[in-house]
Amino acid sequence: MISLEQAVACLTEQVTPIKETEQVSLESLSGRILAQDYTAPFDQPPFPRSPLDGYAVRGEDTTGTSHEMPVSLRVIGKVYAGHTFEGEVQPGEAVRIMTGAPIPVGANAVIRQEDTDYGCERVGLYASVKPYQNYCYAGEDFQKGTVLLKKGTVLNAYDMAVLASLGYGSAVVYRQPAIAVISTGDELLQPGQPLTAGKIYDSNRILINSRLQALGIPSALTLHCGDSAEQVAEQIREVSAHCDIIITTGGVSVGEKDIMHGVLKCLGVEPLFWRVAVKPGSPTLTAVYQDTLLICLSGNPYGAAANFELLVRPVLAVLTGNSRLCMKVKTAVLTNAFPKQGKMRRFLRGYTKHREVQAVTGNHSSGALSAMLRCNCLIEIPPEQNGAQEGTQVRVHLL
Amino acid sequence: MISLEQAVACLTEQVTPIKETEQVSLESLSGRILAQDYTAPFDQPPFPRSPLDGYAVRGEDTTGTSHEMPVSLRVIGKVYAGHTFEGEVQPGEAVRIMTGAPIPVGANAVIRQEDTDYGCERVGLYASVKPYQNYCYAGEDFQKGTVLLKKGTVLNAYDMAVLASLGYGSAVVYRQPAIAVISTGDELLQPGQPLTAGKIYDSNRILINSRLQALGIPSALTLHCGDSAEQVAEQIREVSAHCDIIITTGGVSVGEKDIMHGVLKCLGVEPLFWRVAVKPGSPTLTAVYQDTLLICLSGNPYGAAANFELLVRPVLAVLTGNSRLCMKVKTAVLTNAFPKQGKMRRFLRGYTKHREVQAVTGNHSSGALSAMLRCNCLIEIPPEQNGAQEGTQVRVHLL
């Protein structure tokens, strides 16, 4: 039996961060991880730009202008956003300009239309503008060559919009981990099937698959196998070539039907470790089969859930290079007592808000999945301690 | 010009929560909202169950048993998880039982195998068990008829696993909002196209689309239109029948090319409001066209982004019934000064951690999208205030 920390260290040593990359179109980049830096291929804005509707002028031509002392300039053209004015503005001249349009050569300021008579051939100005007033410089947002998005960035909507504004219709990202989930057990029915004697519904498969999805990792493949070591081994052989990790549930304890030990024998591999000193889900069994990490979790729904969070997430973090896939840990004050004594470090389901945390009351049996509803954390109760009193500071692992 | 609060109230009054439902398969329920309560159709576990590997016995038969005073019982059968034992345990009898298997009729406790001689025809017991020790009651997790998941629940992986454990292969949820995003402007190129004079890349379309996705709302449709009121109106006519909301960007200010006013005329509708007293993105224009809400945002990337967060998200929250779609608001201490005076309430981009928040320094122009990188909040600076000093308490809206 090894500690949780030893188990995590052992598993994370087995995986190396994914280096293979793929080109993915802009729309599908959410949550993906950049495999290279992205630099600005041009100044942004690419040209000096008007921030408002008005007239592009030479600021010097407007000095001292006011309502009492208007100035009149010759309007030599008009320019809209998305278009360009080909000429050059000379002294005494102006160009009608709209928001977002390039400021013509020769002009160095924009006077807002509210300070003019909106003239077409000539325009009367009622205010002065200084050179470079109302003038967005080329490169004001960023300059050509600036690294805007670094390799390793986990892309969100704003990152994607910046990539779009740089003109990138796709980006090079690391491929996503490929993960198979196999639930085992003769007693498991798939949801939707009619309930028969002695059976229960398989919830581990959907749980782990959905947790993976929630962490931004697509489901590669999910399967259910009965209690046959040969069958499970055969499935693992079939899918391992395409998988970084295979997660199984069930069959890891010490009973006759705890087939996962037999599965490893069939595959001809030795366990990395079997049993971790945590409650629930202690009998976790792990191995490596042909470069694929096998993590065999307890079949108990809460045991599987807790060990997915505690053991599998750190592995996913290393594999993807995304440390945010690990649970965050904080300390909080327990608002209700947990009286049970235990030899093993125990993780309770809880709900934390601000600096407080409440353990789920009622049924704490490891199989009771419904106690997970409305929980947002796991509460760590150290071993060899007479439970935990109300008001105790506890470590809280945020789901 | 109306206040942000008035604008939000006006828009949320226009929408009613979606009532249409659909049946969605279990695997696809993440983030969906239940349209009915889900009750347990059976006790869970559905039968008294063994929590360990051992022998199902009558506790009374083991009274006083110890290593020194062992007891021998006749083994009348064996039961694995997923199977049932059809007989009944009489005094002096035991059934070999594995974890998760139904405890046979007549037995009321399970003795763990470590406390036995693992016998096959007869078994020697070296310890006593009380009646109902190591005995998981039927309905211990939940009882038939218990409401486990309420109408309105936004489903996460744990909820989905509970639905699975109840045997539901699908669930009835509200349909998702249908939202179209139309970016407008002759100056916009789509990412991937070569950059030409006077043009910039369209980032609003991908930004709003990706933000919707990040909020769990699928992109219905995204389009780009040039500066033609007729064309934009035609697009709106085409898609409105299938959309709850149409979000446009660009063309809402006062220039000649600010076509969205013309679009509303083409559609024959009056604005609900035009202009909201916030910076950036104040010229937001809204209307209702044939039951579809039109929210026309500024074309300035940060203007569009901020008003999406401030104005559109509350509408989505009402439409879906999911209040978590609104930004959370907290107060924090500003760690750097923002000196700019303003007549309008201003929203700065910032990064907040714990009780502090830092405003993005450098280019605060509303068009500068790159300043959004690594931000996680909008900082509210009240109007008519001489900027904000370092150390000021500010309201922070979490992205």
Side-chain angles (χ1 to χ4, degrees), chain A residues 10-83:
Chain A
C10 173
L11 292 178
T12 52
E13 263 170 31
Q14 300 298 324
V15 292
T16 46
I18 291 170
K19 286 278 162 270
E20 299 96 317
T21 62
E22 58 191 2
Q23 186 100 20
V24 170
S25 72
L26 192 56
E27 300 74 32
S28 307
L29 284 172
S30 183
R32 300 301 297 269
I33 300 175
L34 282 184
Q36 60 177 61
D37 289 347
Y38 277 82
T39 55
F42 47 75
D43 288 343
Q44 179 75 341
F47 44 79
R49 187 163 64 178
S50 175
L52 41 77
D53 292 335
Y55 292 81
V57 299
R58 295 158 51 91
E60 301 82 348
D61 288 354
T62 71
T63 313
T65 305
S66 70
H67 257 278
E68 293 68 41
M69 296 277 286
V71 150
S72 172
L73 299 177
R74 192 162 74 90
V75 180
I76 60 167
K78 190 184 233 181
V79 61
Y80 294 111
H83 301 269

Side-chain angles (χ1 to χ4, degrees), chain A residues 53 78 80 82 140-141 158-161 164 167 187 192 199 201 203 210 255-257 309 363 369-370 372-373, chain B residues 53 78 80 82 140-141 158-161 164 167 187 192 199 201 203 210 255-257 309 363 370 372-373:
Chain A
D53 292 335
K78 190 184 233 181
Y80 294 111
E140 181 177 88
D141 188 0
Y158 288 103
D159 301 323
M160 288 159 70
E187 75 279 22
K199 308 283 185 183
Y201 286 107
S203 60
S210 309
E256 276 182 43
K257 287 282 183 171
E309 308 291 348
N363 188 355
L369 187 65
S370 63
M372 206 78 202
L373 295 173
Chain B
D53 291 335
K78 191 183 233 180
Y80 294 111
E140 180 178 272
D141 187 359
Y158 289 103
D159 301 322
M160 289 158 69
E187 75 280 22
K199 308 283 185 184
Y201 286 107
S203 60
S210 309
E256 276 182 43
K257 287 284 183 172
E309 308 291 349
N363 188 354
S370 63
M372 208 77 204
L373 295 173

Side-chain angles (χ1 to χ4, degrees), chain A residues 104-303:
Chain A
V105 177
N108 61 16
V110 175
I111 183 157
R112 57 183 197 139
Q113 60 192 13
E114 294 89 334
D115 293 331
T116 74
D117 64 2
Y118 292 78
C120 290
E121 296 198 346
R122 293 199 69 87
V123 62
L125 312 186
Y126 304 125
S128 67
V129 280
K130 292 192 196 102
Y132 303 103
Q133 194 173 341
N134 300 329
Y135 183 102
C136 296
Y137 288 89
E140 181 177 88
D141 188 0
F142 49 75
Q143 291 181 339
K144 182 176 174 172
T146 310
V147 176
L148 284 174
L149 289 157
K150 291 209 171 188
K151 181 175 165 171
T153 301
V154 184
L155 296 168
N156 66 21
Y158 288 103
D159 301 323
M160 288 159 70
V162 169
L163 281 172
S165 73
L166 301 178
Y168 295 106
S170 63
V172 178
V173 293
Y174 293 112
R175 75 159 170 83
Q176 291 186 296
I179 304 192
V181 179
I182 304 176
S183 61
T184 72
D186 281 349
E187 75 279 22
L188 298 182
L189 290 172
Q190 293 310 306
Q193 296 182 311
L195 187 61
T196 52
K199 308 283 185 183
I200 57 168
Y201 286 107
D202 182 3
S203 60
N204 287 331
R205 195 157 80 123
I206 194 81
L207 176 75
I208 293 176
N209 190 38
S210 309
R211 286 298 293 147
L212 286 169
Q213 277 186 284
L215 295 170
I217 293 167
S219 50
L221 179 73
T222 77
L223 295 165
H224 170 252
C225 280
D227 286 329
S228 153
E230 291 73 22
Q231 237 182 64
V232 175
E234 190 47 42
Q235 286 292 2
I236 289 174
R237 272 192 215 100
E238 260 180 45
V239 303
S240 66
H242 318 290
C243 286
D244 300 296
I245 306 178
I246 298 173
I247 303 170
T248 70
T249 61
V252 290
S253 194
V254 293
E256 276 182 43
K257 287 282 183 171
D258 284 316
I259 57 159
M260 293 310 299
H261 309 283
V263 169
L264 297 196
K265 281 205 189 80
C266 288
L267 294 171
V269 297
E270 290 294 317
L272 290 170
F273 61 79
W274 175 45
R275 299 204 294 169
V276 183
V278 294
K279 243 182 148 162
S282 53
T284 301
L285 172 68
T286 63
V288 173
Y289 174 70
Q290 295 191 343
D291 294 334
T292 299
L293 185 58
L294 306 182
I295 305 181
C296 309
L297 303 174
S298 158
N300 255 314
Y302 177 46

